[in-house]
Amino acid sequence: MSELRFNVVEKAFRAKPLEIAVPSERPAEYFGKYVFNREKMFKYLPAPVYARLADAMDNGAALDREVADQVAEGMKRWAMELGVTHYTHWFQPLTEGTAEKHDAFIEHDGKGGMLEEFSGKLLVQQEPDASSFPNGGIRNTFEARGYSAWDPSSPVFVVDDTLCIPTVFIAYTGESLDYKAPLLKALSAVNKAAVEVCHYFDPEVKKVMAYLGWEQEYFLVDAGLYAARPDLLLTGRTLMGHEASKNQQLEDHYFGAIPTRVAAFMKDLEIQALELGIPVKTRHNEVAPNQFELAPIFEECNLAVDHNMLLMSLMRKVARTHGFRVLLHEKPFKGVNGSGKHNNWSLGTDTGVLLMAPGKTAEENLRFITFVVNTLMAVYRHNGLLKASIMSATNAHRLGANEAPPAIISSFLGKQLSKVLDHMEESSTDELVSLGGKHGMKLDIPQIPELLIDNTDRNRTSPFAFTGNRFEFRAVGSEANCASAMIALNAAVAEQLVEFKKEVDGLVEKGEPKISAIIQVIRKYIKECKPIRFDGNGYSEEWKAEAARRGLDCETSCPLIFDRYLTPESIRMFESTGVMTQKELEARNEVKWETYTKKIQIEARVLGDLVMNHIVPVATEYQTKLIDNVYKMKSVFAEEEARTLSAENMAIIRKIAEHATYIKEHVDAMVEARKVANKIASEREKAIAYHDTIAPMLEEIRYHIDKLELIVDDRMWTLPKYRELLFIR
Ligand SMILES: NC(=O)CC[C@H](N)C(=O)O
């Protein structure tokens, strides 16, 4: 009998919610307790130093060594009051996670003792020996120089005894080796391009920020049950497991009362997140059993990305304290909803205008339409690339079912906005702009309700949905670094806005009044990007055919989707916006292909191990029991009667043999296929081989394992079942 499984099930069942020490202050008071935010900067830095740092944060001004030294000194003083002994450059390599190497403040004092020091030099730049991170061939291990450099726009924070300094991670030769560096470049590109376009409407605008509000979905599984599933432990998802009889059919989990043990986890997590300055706001049960969601208030994009990365590591830590493991994988369980991280994206000006929100006047609405239509154009022109930006071996399992968008990028606008765009398309420019009144101009743009947010209908199958004052990029996966999607989107929009300005200015130079020039170009774009607009059911077969007819990217193979980073249009876009060079794009793709291969490779090995060490032995043991019974029946009953009475058992014995044979043969075949694929030198070709030959085998083998799970005596089955993983909390 399987003891581990029953022990962990029993323990999980008896688990109680943890007592949480709720701070006596209100959240607004402990918010940012562990962040060196402006309030602390003001307190710990001399006034002129504070001013210089604020300038660096707001306007990207350079900081000289002297100022950096003083900033470091203030930071150190603040951190030491919190008991901090170490510092680290905290960065985001191409692994989807974060990286940190802690150093103590201590230095020799030259008199045989120690003193604690933290200079501007250490704050601003470091050369971590980080040669083992994926770099796609930009750095050879024998010349592993790469350095991390402080990003003053994201405040430093304290975790435990360590002062964490958000940094970019760059090769000595200047190429980015992380997500932050290209993200900052993309944000600067979109700022520059959008400010220029804003000047058509308001010359006062000096800065445009991209905003991001992510929605983090996740599963919680009891830690004991998790430990008894090698596949969860090593791959983050279940590679086998038959659906439970009840899963999410009744939709009774969604928005339901939060289970007490989970509520304790959430409270603890939220307190710690708020202390780290992450403005967490919303929590609820998601659709799948044991699935939950957490969402903050939207923030400036770079900060939001850092906060999401920080939150994911905090979630992992806090879950352990509560006897849970958090699953951030996009599809940990077959047959129920996967987890996304919908990225709510918008642009806003330093004058307080949300550019994706309709305004009161016709001119404000023209500005709104200008930004919406340019976004649609960018998404249309780079739909394949945007898909590549969210694609991974793990997210591939999620797309196309259970309320996750399909692997074809399209945009849902809803009835109201579609009507406005259709009207503009159908009317002539003259009809839209007429002379009149004392303002000298009248715009015939249908009134748009200011509060579209409450009016827009929703479409859960849309990868890029307009939701009233922002776009929701729903295709982003729960485990991903949002930066990947945000780099591609902001860069594409930046390129598009530059293009738009060029066209409008061209017309103005030819004597066209500004407003009608804008309208003319917008009308042209509305026609051109029409194929990206789709409000229907993204899961239907008709849409797949229709999307292909419209020329949208319909590729579903993950390694081939990565090719979209290297098309001439993508390279041109990234290079013209200064976000990434061709060399960087090529290197990153090497990493993507290699990571893809390794993930499937690990899954294949884990499944092979499960089959040989858990499933087949248990199935055979049960089969032997049945055979024993058949023999014994013969000794109790006459031959004919024994045969009749044992017919069912004989059928099961045969079924077990058939499934076990299939499984063993295919695991062997999978090992052989891997050997062949592993010999392929090109990372791209190898990933394709893994996608085309090995990944499907995992599914085929799984089918037979899941059948065995239904037949074999439950007492003997060693691996926690779906009903246990999904319903014990
Ligand atoms: N209710 C929802 O929005 C579900 C979303 C779904 N979990 C996804 O994968 O994106």
Side-chain angles (χ1 to χ4, degrees), residues 423-462:
H423 174 76
M424 287 191 76
E425 186 190 349
E426 286 150 18
S427 324
S428 70
T429 305
D430 286 346
E431 281 165 344
L432 290 168
V433 200
S434 52
L435 288 176
K438 59 175 185 281
H439 299 298
M441 183 195 71
K442 236 178 92 196
L443 284 179
D444 174 27
I445 295 177
Q447 260 307 310
I448 309 169
E450 261 184 85
L451 275 179
L452 260 190
I453 319 170
D454 302 324
N455 285 311
T456 34
D457 17 1
R458 298 289 153 109
N459 185 334
R460 293 195 187 287
T461 70
S462 180

mmCIF file of all heavy atoms in Angstrom, residues 423-462:
data_model
loop_
_atom_site.group_PDB
_atom_site.id
_atom_site.type_symbol
_atom_site.label_atom_id
_atom_site.label_comp_id
_atom_site.label_asym_id
_atom_site.label_seq_id
_atom_site.Cartn_x
_atom_site.Cartn_y
_atom_site.Cartn_z
ATOM 1 N N HIS A 423 -17.656 54.536 -38.023
ATOM 2 C CA HIS A 423 -18.166 55.827 -38.481
ATOM 3 C C HIS A 423 -17.049 56.642 -39.128
ATOM 4 O O HIS A 423 -17.225 57.244 -40.196
ATOM 5 C CB HIS A 423 -18.766 56.595 -37.298
ATOM 6 C CG HIS A 423 -19.184 57.996 -37.634
ATOM 7 N ND1 HIS A 423 -20.331 58.282 -38.346
ATOM 8 C CD2 HIS A 423 -18.602 59.187 -37.374
ATOM 9 C CE1 HIS A 423 -20.435 59.582 -38.504
ATOM 10 N NE2 HIS A 423 -19.392 60.163 -37.929
ATOM 11 N N MET A 424 -15.889 56.639 -38.497
ATOM 12 C CA MET A 424 -14.772 57.408 -39.058
ATOM 13 C C MET A 424 -14.319 56.834 -40.393
ATOM 14 O O MET A 424 -13.929 57.548 -41.299
ATOM 15 C CB MET A 424 -13.592 57.429 -38.079
ATOM 16 C CG MET A 424 -13.864 58.325 -36.904
ATOM 17 S SD MET A 424 -12.406 58.601 -35.914
ATOM 18 C CE MET A 424 -11.466 59.759 -36.902
ATOM 19 N N GLU A 425 -14.378 55.530 -40.481
ATOM 20 C CA GLU A 425 -13.950 54.879 -41.713
ATOM 21 C C GLU A 425 -14.906 55.215 -42.851
ATOM 22 O O GLU A 425 -14.479 55.509 -43.969
ATOM 23 C CB GLU A 425 -13.900 53.363 -41.488
ATOM 24 C CG GLU A 425 -13.328 52.617 -42.676
ATOM 25 C CD GLU A 425 -13.508 51.118 -42.566
ATOM 26 O OE1 GLU A 425 -13.879 50.620 -41.485
ATOM 27 O OE2 GLU A 425 -13.272 50.433 -43.584
ATOM 28 N N GLU A 426 -16.190 55.204 -42.522
ATOM 29 C CA GLU A 426 -17.202 55.402 -43.569
ATOM 30 C C GLU A 426 -17.362 56.857 -43.995
ATOM 31 O O GLU A 426 -17.741 57.129 -45.141
ATOM 32 C CB GLU A 426 -18.556 54.840 -43.096
ATOM 33 C CG GLU A 426 -18.580 53.314 -43.113
ATOM 34 C CD GLU A 426 -19.504 52.743 -42.042
ATOM 35 O OE1 GLU A 426 -20.375 53.494 -41.531
ATOM 36 O OE2 GLU A 426 -19.355 51.550 -41.705
ATOM 37 N N SER A 427 -17.095 57.784 -43.073
ATOM 38 C CA SER A 427 -17.278 59.191 -43.445
ATOM 39 C C SER A 427 -16.020 59.717 -44.132
ATOM 40 O O SER A 427 -14.924 59.225 -43.880
ATOM 41 C CB SER A 427 -17.536 60.037 -42.208
ATOM 42 O OG SER A 427 -18.296 59.338 -41.274
ATOM 43 N N SER A 428 -16.208 60.767 -44.928
ATOM 44 C CA SER A 428 -15.026 61.372 -45.531
ATOM 45 C C SER A 428 -14.405 62.330 -44.526
ATOM 46 O O SER A 428 -15.042 62.722 -43.540
ATOM 47 C CB SER A 428 -15.421 62.139 -46.788
ATOM 48 O OG SER A 428 -16.148 63.285 -46.394
ATOM 49 N N THR A 429 -13.158 62.704 -44.785
ATOM 50 C CA THR A 429 -12.498 63.626 -43.864
ATOM 51 C C THR A 429 -13.289 64.930 -43.766
ATOM 52 O O THR A 429 -13.447 65.501 -42.691
ATOM 53 C CB THR A 429 -11.064 63.901 -44.354
ATOM 54 O OG1 THR A 429 -10.421 62.634 -44.507
ATOM 55 C CG2 THR A 429 -10.273 64.729 -43.360
ATOM 56 N N ASP A 430 -13.797 65.381 -44.903
ATOM 57 C CA ASP A 430 -14.561 66.625 -44.892
ATOM 58 C C ASP A 430 -15.807 66.514 -44.033
ATOM 59 O O ASP A 430 -16.206 67.459 -43.355
ATOM 60 C CB ASP A 430 -14.974 67.018 -46.317
ATOM 61 C CG ASP A 430 -13.769 67.545 -47.078
ATOM 62 O OD1 ASP A 430 -12.746 67.840 -46.396
ATOM 63 O OD2 ASP A 430 -13.836 67.633 -48.314
ATOM 64 N N GLU A 431 -16.419 65.352 -44.091
ATOM 65 C CA GLU A 431 -17.614 65.155 -43.266
ATOM 66 C C GLU A 431 -17.259 65.175 -41.775
ATOM 67 O O GLU A 431 -18.028 65.616 -40.945
ATOM 68 C CB GLU A 431 -18.289 63.813 -43.599
ATOM 69 C CG GLU A 431 -19.118 63.861 -44.865
ATOM 70 C CD GLU A 431 -19.481 62.468 -45.391
ATOM 71 O OE1 GLU A 431 -18.857 61.466 -44.973
ATOM 72 O OE2 GLU A 431 -20.382 62.398 -46.219
ATOM 73 N N LEU A 432 -16.070 64.664 -41.484
ATOM 74 C CA LEU A 432 -15.677 64.573 -40.074
ATOM 75 C C LEU A 432 -15.220 65.918 -39.509
ATOM 76 O O LEU A 432 -15.441 66.228 -38.351
ATOM 77 C CB LEU A 432 -14.555 63.541 -39.900
ATOM 78 C CG LEU A 432 -14.988 62.087 -40.113
ATOM 79 C CD1 LEU A 432 -13.773 61.190 -40.219
ATOM 80 C CD2 LEU A 432 -15.886 61.605 -38.987
ATOM 81 N N VAL A 433 -14.556 66.700 -40.355
ATOM 82 C CA VAL A 433 -14.115 68.027 -39.889
ATOM 83 C C VAL A 433 -14.863 69.065 -40.694
ATOM 84 O O VAL A 433 -14.746 69.103 -41.915
ATOM 85 C CB VAL A 433 -12.620 68.273 -40.195
ATOM 86 C CG1 VAL A 433 -12.068 69.369 -39.303
ATOM 87 C CG2 VAL A 433 -11.815 67.016 -40.117
ATOM 88 N N SER A 434 -15.628 69.888 -40.037
ATOM 89 C CA SER A 434 -16.253 70.954 -40.794
ATOM 90 C C SER A 434 -15.945 72.273 -40.108
ATOM 91 O O SER A 434 -15.719 72.323 -38.896
ATOM 92 C CB SER A 434 -17.759 70.722 -40.883
ATOM 93 O OG SER A 434 -18.254 70.512 -39.598
ATOM 94 N N LEU A 435 -15.920 73.314 -40.895
ATOM 95 C CA LEU A 435 -15.663 74.630 -40.317
ATOM 96 C C LEU A 435 -16.925 75.101 -39.638
ATOM 97 O O LEU A 435 -18.032 74.850 -40.090
ATOM 98 C CB LEU A 435 -15.284 75.608 -41.417
ATOM 99 C CG LEU A 435 -13.893 75.379 -41.990
ATOM 100 C CD1 LEU A 435 -13.649 76.343 -43.134
ATOM 101 C CD2 LEU A 435 -12.830 75.556 -40.920
ATOM 102 N N GLY A 436 -16.796 75.752 -38.548
ATOM 103 C CA GLY A 436 -18.008 76.250 -37.909
ATOM 104 C C GLY A 436 -17.714 76.763 -36.525
ATOM 105 O O GLY A 436 -16.644 76.522 -35.965
ATOM 106 N N GLY A 437 -18.637 77.514 -35.996
ATOM 107 C CA GLY A 437 -18.539 78.026 -34.632
ATOM 108 C C GLY A 437 -17.341 78.947 -34.438
ATOM 109 O O GLY A 437 -16.581 79.197 -35.352
ATOM 110 N N LYS A 438 -17.194 79.398 -33.192
ATOM 111 C CA LYS A 438 -16.098 80.336 -32.993
ATOM 112 C C LYS A 438 -14.744 79.631 -32.838
ATOM 113 O O LYS A 438 -13.700 80.254 -32.892
ATOM 114 C CB LYS A 438 -16.397 81.286 -31.825
ATOM 115 C CG LYS A 438 -16.642 80.634 -30.484
ATOM 116 C CD LYS A 438 -16.787 81.756 -29.451
ATOM 117 C CE LYS A 438 -16.924 81.268 -28.070
ATOM 118 N NZ LYS A 438 -17.961 80.775 -27.419
ATOM 119 N N HIS A 439 -14.781 78.337 -32.641
ATOM 120 C CA HIS A 439 -13.510 77.620 -32.555
ATOM 121 C C HIS A 439 -12.957 77.316 -33.950
ATOM 122 O O HIS A 439 -11.865 76.792 -34.087
ATOM 123 C CB HIS A 439 -13.667 76.315 -31.777
ATOM 124 C CG HIS A 439 -14.110 76.567 -30.377
ATOM 125 N ND1 HIS A 439 -13.346 77.282 -29.484
ATOM 126 C CD2 HIS A 439 -15.258 76.238 -29.732
ATOM 127 C CE1 HIS A 439 -14.000 77.366 -28.336
ATOM 128 N NE2 HIS A 439 -15.171 76.753 -28.461
ATOM 129 N N GLY A 440 -13.741 77.649 -34.946
ATOM 130 C CA GLY A 440 -13.269 77.482 -36.314
ATOM 131 C C GLY A 440 -13.283 76.043 -36.794
ATOM 132 O O GLY A 440 -12.911 75.741 -37.900
ATOM 133 N N MET A 441 -13.702 75.132 -35.940
ATOM 134 C CA MET A 441 -13.652 73.747 -36.379
ATOM 135 C C MET A 441 -14.675 72.926 -35.613
ATOM 136 O O MET A 441 -14.914 73.151 -34.426
ATOM 137 C CB MET A 441 -12.260 73.208 -36.079
ATOM 138 C CG MET A 441 -12.047 71.814 -36.547
ATOM 139 S SD MET A 441 -10.572 71.158 -35.775
ATOM 140 C CE MET A 441 -11.106 70.947 -34.111
ATOM 141 N N LYS A 442 -15.289 71.993 -36.325
ATOM 142 C CA LYS A 442 -16.210 71.093 -35.634
ATOM 143 C C LYS A 442 -15.842 69.672 -36.010
ATOM 144 O O LYS A 442 -15.563 69.371 -37.170
ATOM 145 C CB LYS A 442 -17.643 71.391 -36.087
ATOM 146 C CG LYS A 442 -18.570 71.709 -34.922
ATOM 147 C CD LYS A 442 -19.958 72.049 -35.394
ATOM 148 C CE LYS A 442 -20.785 70.781 -35.412
ATOM 149 N NZ LYS A 442 -21.995 70.924 -36.196
ATOM 150 N N LEU A 443 -15.805 68.815 -35.041
ATOM 151 C CA LEU A 443 -15.460 67.429 -35.342
ATOM 152 C C LEU A 443 -16.707 66.575 -35.228
ATOM 153 O O LEU A 443 -17.397 66.618 -34.211
ATOM 154 C CB LEU A 443 -14.436 66.913 -34.330
ATOM 155 C CG LEU A 443 -12.995 67.374 -34.503
ATOM 156 C CD1 LEU A 443 -12.135 66.791 -33.402
ATOM 157 C CD2 LEU A 443 -12.468 66.950 -35.856
ATOM 158 N N ASP A 444 -16.961 65.807 -36.258
ATOM 159 C CA ASP A 444 -18.123 64.925 -36.192
ATOM 160 C C ASP A 444 -17.673 63.539 -35.724
ATOM 161 O O ASP A 444 -17.619 62.589 -36.491
ATOM 162 C CB ASP A 444 -18.793 64.842 -37.565
ATOM 163 C CG ASP A 444 -19.919 63.832 -37.564
ATOM 164 O OD1 ASP A 444 -20.501 63.611 -36.481
ATOM 165 O OD2 ASP A 444 -20.191 63.244 -38.628
ATOM 166 N N ILE A 445 -17.304 63.501 -34.467
ATOM 167 C CA ILE A 445 -16.938 62.199 -33.902
ATOM 168 C C ILE A 445 -18.021 61.855 -32.897
ATOM 169 O O ILE A 445 -18.319 62.645 -32.005
ATOM 170 C CB ILE A 445 -15.563 62.268 -33.220
ATOM 171 C CG1 ILE A 445 -14.513 62.549 -34.299
ATOM 172 C CG2 ILE A 445 -15.229 60.975 -32.489
ATOM 173 C CD1 ILE A 445 -13.129 62.721 -33.777
ATOM 174 N N PRO A 446 -18.652 60.698 -33.070
ATOM 175 C CA PRO A 446 -19.771 60.377 -32.185
ATOM 176 C C PRO A 446 -19.344 60.478 -30.730
ATOM 177 O O PRO A 446 -18.210 60.169 -30.386
ATOM 178 C CB PRO A 446 -20.101 58.929 -32.544
ATOM 179 C CG PRO A 446 -19.420 58.644 -33.821
ATOM 180 C CD PRO A 446 -18.307 59.609 -33.977
ATOM 181 N N GLN A 447 -20.246 60.930 -29.901
ATOM 182 C CA GLN A 447 -19.969 61.026 -28.470
ATOM 183 C C GLN A 447 -19.554 59.663 -27.919
ATOM 184 O O GLN A 447 -20.157 58.644 -28.243
ATOM 185 C CB GLN A 447 -21.217 61.513 -27.730
ATOM 186 C CG GLN A 447 -21.156 62.998 -27.404
ATOM 187 C CD GLN A 447 -19.878 63.376 -26.672
ATOM 188 O OE1 GLN A 447 -19.529 62.737 -25.701
ATOM 189 N NE2 GLN A 447 -19.178 64.391 -27.164
ATOM 190 N N ILE A 448 -18.531 59.671 -27.110
ATOM 191 C CA ILE A 448 -18.102 58.415 -26.497
ATOM 192 C C ILE A 448 -18.330 58.567 -25.002
ATOM 193 O O ILE A 448 -17.864 59.523 -24.408
ATOM 194 C CB ILE A 448 -16.615 58.157 -26.764
ATOM 195 C CG1 ILE A 448 -16.347 58.288 -28.262
ATOM 196 C CG2 ILE A 448 -16.188 56.793 -26.254
ATOM 197 C CD1 ILE A 448 -14.892 58.324 -28.621
ATOM 198 N N PRO A 449 -19.070 57.664 -24.414
ATOM 199 C CA PRO A 449 -19.292 57.824 -22.975
ATOM 200 C C PRO A 449 -17.960 57.799 -22.248
ATOM 201 O O PRO A 449 -17.098 56.989 -22.540
ATOM 202 C CB PRO A 449 -20.149 56.621 -22.593
ATOM 203 C CG PRO A 449 -20.146 55.714 -23.754
ATOM 204 C CD PRO A 449 -19.672 56.458 -24.955
ATOM 205 N N GLU A 450 -17.805 58.745 -21.314
ATOM 206 C CA GLU A 450 -16.526 58.828 -20.619
ATOM 207 C C GLU A 450 -16.263 57.586 -19.782
ATOM 208 O O GLU A 450 -15.133 57.189 -19.583
ATOM 209 C CB GLU A 450 -16.548 60.041 -19.695
ATOM 210 C CG GLU A 450 -15.855 61.224 -20.297
ATOM 211 C CD GLU A 450 -15.831 62.344 -19.298
ATOM 212 O OE1 GLU A 450 -14.897 62.327 -18.483
ATOM 213 O OE2 GLU A 450 -16.751 63.172 -19.320
ATOM 214 N N LEU A 451 -17.342 57.025 -19.294
ATOM 215 C CA LEU A 451 -17.150 55.857 -18.458
ATOM 216 C C LEU A 451 -17.344 54.573 -19.247
ATOM 217 O O LEU A 451 -18.236 53.793 -19.008
ATOM 218 C CB LEU A 451 -18.092 55.897 -17.262
ATOM 219 C CG LEU A 451 -17.552 56.700 -16.101
ATOM 220 C CD1 LEU A 451 -18.531 56.730 -14.957
ATOM 221 C CD2 LEU A 451 -16.209 56.150 -15.623
ATOM 222 N N LEU A 452 -16.446 54.390 -20.202
ATOM 223 C CA LEU A 452 -16.540 53.185 -21.030
ATOM 224 C C LEU A 452 -16.282 51.928 -20.212
ATOM 225 O O LEU A 452 -16.781 50.863 -20.518
ATOM 226 C CB LEU A 452 -15.495 53.264 -22.133
ATOM 227 C CG LEU A 452 -15.956 53.705 -23.519
ATOM 228 C CD1 LEU A 452 -14.848 53.479 -24.508
ATOM 229 C CD2 LEU A 452 -17.200 52.947 -23.948
ATOM 230 N N ILE A 453 -15.493 52.098 -19.161
ATOM 231 C CA ILE A 453 -15.077 50.926 -18.364
ATOM 232 C C ILE A 453 -16.280 50.104 -17.939
ATOM 233 O O ILE A 453 -16.266 48.891 -17.967
ATOM 234 C CB ILE A 453 -14.329 51.366 -17.092
ATOM 235 C CG1 ILE A 453 -13.405 52.517 -17.447
ATOM 236 C CG2 ILE A 453 -13.580 50.209 -16.459
ATOM 237 C CD1 ILE A 453 -12.795 53.186 -16.245
ATOM 238 N N ASP A 454 -17.328 50.815 -17.551
ATOM 239 C CA ASP A 454 -18.502 50.076 -17.101
ATOM 240 C C ASP A 454 -19.375 49.629 -18.270
ATOM 241 O O ASP A 454 -20.260 48.821 -18.107
ATOM 242 C CB ASP A 454 -19.341 50.962 -16.169
ATOM 243 C CG ASP A 454 -18.520 51.409 -14.985
ATOM 244 O OD1 ASP A 454 -17.695 50.595 -14.538
ATOM 245 O OD2 ASP A 454 -18.680 52.554 -14.545
ATOM 246 N N ASN A 455 -19.075 50.197 -19.415
ATOM 247 C CA ASN A 455 -19.934 49.910 -20.566
ATOM 248 C C ASN A 455 -19.387 48.862 -21.513
ATOM 249 O O ASN A 455 -20.128 48.248 -22.256
ATOM 250 C CB ASN A 455 -20.166 51.190 -21.368
ATOM 251 C CG ASN A 455 -21.142 52.087 -20.657
ATOM 252 O OD1 ASN A 455 -22.187 51.632 -20.249
ATOM 253 N ND2 ASN A 455 -20.779 53.338 -20.489
ATOM 254 N N THR A 456 -18.059 48.689 -21.502
ATOM 255 C CA THR A 456 -17.517 47.740 -22.477
ATOM 256 C C THR A 456 -17.907 46.332 -22.088
ATOM 257 O O THR A 456 -17.819 45.939 -20.933
ATOM 258 C CB THR A 456 -15.972 47.788 -22.580
ATOM 259 O OG1 THR A 456 -15.459 48.070 -21.302
ATOM 260 C CG2 THR A 456 -15.508 48.767 -23.602
ATOM 261 N N ASP A 457 -18.316 45.593 -23.107
ATOM 262 C CA ASP A 457 -18.580 44.185 -22.917
ATOM 263 C C ASP A 457 -17.224 43.484 -22.838
ATOM 264 O O ASP A 457 -16.211 44.037 -23.224
ATOM 265 C CB ASP A 457 -19.440 43.635 -24.051
ATOM 266 C CG ASP A 457 -19.437 44.554 -25.262
ATOM 267 O OD1 ASP A 457 -18.752 45.582 -25.199
ATOM 268 O OD2 ASP A 457 -20.081 44.258 -26.281
ATOM 269 N N ARG A 458 -17.210 42.279 -22.327
ATOM 270 C CA ARG A 458 -15.941 41.574 -22.159
ATOM 271 C C ARG A 458 -15.877 40.382 -23.097
ATOM 272 O O ARG A 458 -16.890 39.831 -23.489
ATOM 273 C CB ARG A 458 -15.789 41.073 -20.710
ATOM 274 C CG ARG A 458 -15.752 42.192 -19.690
ATOM 275 C CD ARG A 458 -14.448 42.948 -19.782
ATOM 276 N NE ARG A 458 -14.612 44.322 -19.336
ATOM 277 C CZ ARG A 458 -14.112 44.812 -18.202
ATOM 278 N NH1 ARG A 458 -13.426 44.044 -17.428
ATOM 279 N NH2 ARG A 458 -14.291 46.065 -17.883
ATOM 280 N N ASN A 459 -14.673 40.018 -23.454
ATOM 281 C CA ASN A 459 -14.502 38.822 -24.258
ATOM 282 C C ASN A 459 -13.276 38.088 -23.749
ATOM 283 O O ASN A 459 -12.149 38.528 -23.936
ATOM 284 C CB ASN A 459 -14.321 39.204 -25.738
ATOM 285 C CG ASN A 459 -14.254 37.987 -26.642
ATOM 286 O OD1 ASN A 459 -13.862 36.903 -26.202
ATOM 287 N ND2 ASN A 459 -14.636 38.151 -27.884
ATOM 288 N N ARG A 460 -13.519 36.976 -23.075
ATOM 289 C CA ARG A 460 -12.419 36.258 -22.447
ATOM 290 C C ARG A 460 -11.556 35.507 -23.448
ATOM 291 O O ARG A 460 -10.495 35.007 -23.096
ATOM 292 C CB ARG A 460 -12.950 35.289 -21.400
ATOM 293 C CG ARG A 460 -13.579 35.988 -20.231
ATOM 294 C CD ARG A 460 -13.752 35.011 -19.079
ATOM 295 N NE ARG A 460 -14.498 35.619 -17.993
ATOM 296 C CZ ARG A 460 -14.011 36.532 -17.177
ATOM 297 N NH1 ARG A 460 -12.771 36.952 -17.315
ATOM 298 N NH2 ARG A 460 -14.751 37.035 -16.210
ATOM 299 N N THR A 461 -12.013 35.410 -24.684
ATOM 300 C CA THR A 461 -11.186 34.698 -25.667
ATOM 301 C C THR A 461 -10.295 35.668 -26.435
ATOM 302 O O THR A 461 -9.559 35.255 -27.314
ATOM 303 C CB THR A 461 -12.039 33.883 -26.675
ATOM 304 O OG1 THR A 461 -12.738 34.802 -27.532
ATOM 305 C CG2 THR A 461 -13.046 32.988 -25.976
ATOM 306 N N SER A 462 -10.371 36.950 -26.115
ATOM 307 C CA SER A 462 -9.564 37.906 -26.872
ATOM 308 C C SER A 462 -8.186 38.099 -26.228
ATOM 309 O O SER A 462 -8.079 38.350 -25.030
ATOM 310 C CB SER A 462 -10.275 39.256 -26.937
ATOM 311 O OG SER A 462 -9.468 40.146 -27.682
#
